[in-house]
């Protein structure tokens, strides 16, 4: 990738982050107005959201690995020449 492409991507990402933070700030202010959020600062709300996102990503990774393992076991235990039944 060329340097100009990297700079363009970083500039786009920075613009998106600015927009996301503005939307989050507005949401936090709305929650405070409705007294659904009291003492948390914007940084604390962002940190909590980020932590939840990381945990959700980790869970998705673990579930994906478990799904692969179950599929591998089903394939190994299927009778010779027969595909295992896939349920979804």
């Amino acid at each position: 990738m060329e340097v100009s492409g990297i700079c363009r991507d970083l500039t786009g990402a920075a613009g998106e982050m600015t927009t996301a933070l503005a939307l989050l700030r507005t949401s936090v202010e709305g929650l405070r107005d409705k007294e659904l959020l009291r003492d948390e600062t914007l940084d604390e709300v962002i940190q909590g959201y980020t932590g939840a996102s990381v945990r959700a990503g980790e869970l998705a990774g673990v579930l994906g690995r478990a799904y692969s393992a179950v599929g591998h076991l089903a394939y190994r235990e299927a009778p010779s020449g027969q595909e295992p039944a896939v349920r979804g």
Side-chain angles (χ1 to χ4, degrees), residues 45-67:
V45 171
I46 292 170
Q47 191 173 27
Y49 172 77
T50 303
S53 296
V54 168
R55 286 188 298 278
E58 290 171 349
L59 177 60
V62 168
L63 291 175
R65 287 191 299 277
Y67 181 78

Side-chain angles (χ1 to χ4, degrees), residues 11-72:
T11 301
E16 290 174 14
M17 287 301 298
T18 301
T19 301
L21 287 172
L23 290 171
L24 187 55
R25 183 174 287 114
T26 301
S27 296
V28 168
E29 289 170 1
L31 290 172
R32 282 196 184 118
D33 290 345
K34 295 177 183 176
E35 296 183 6
L36 298 172
L37 185 69
R38 295 190 179 142
D39 297 331
E40 293 88 354
T41 65
L42 179 61
D43 287 340
E44 290 169 337
V45 171
I46 292 170
Q47 191 173 27
Y49 172 77
T50 303
S53 296
V54 168
R55 286 188 298 278
E58 290 171 349
L59 177 60
V62 168
L63 291 175
R65 287 191 299 277
Y67 181 78
S68 295
V70 168
H72 179 73

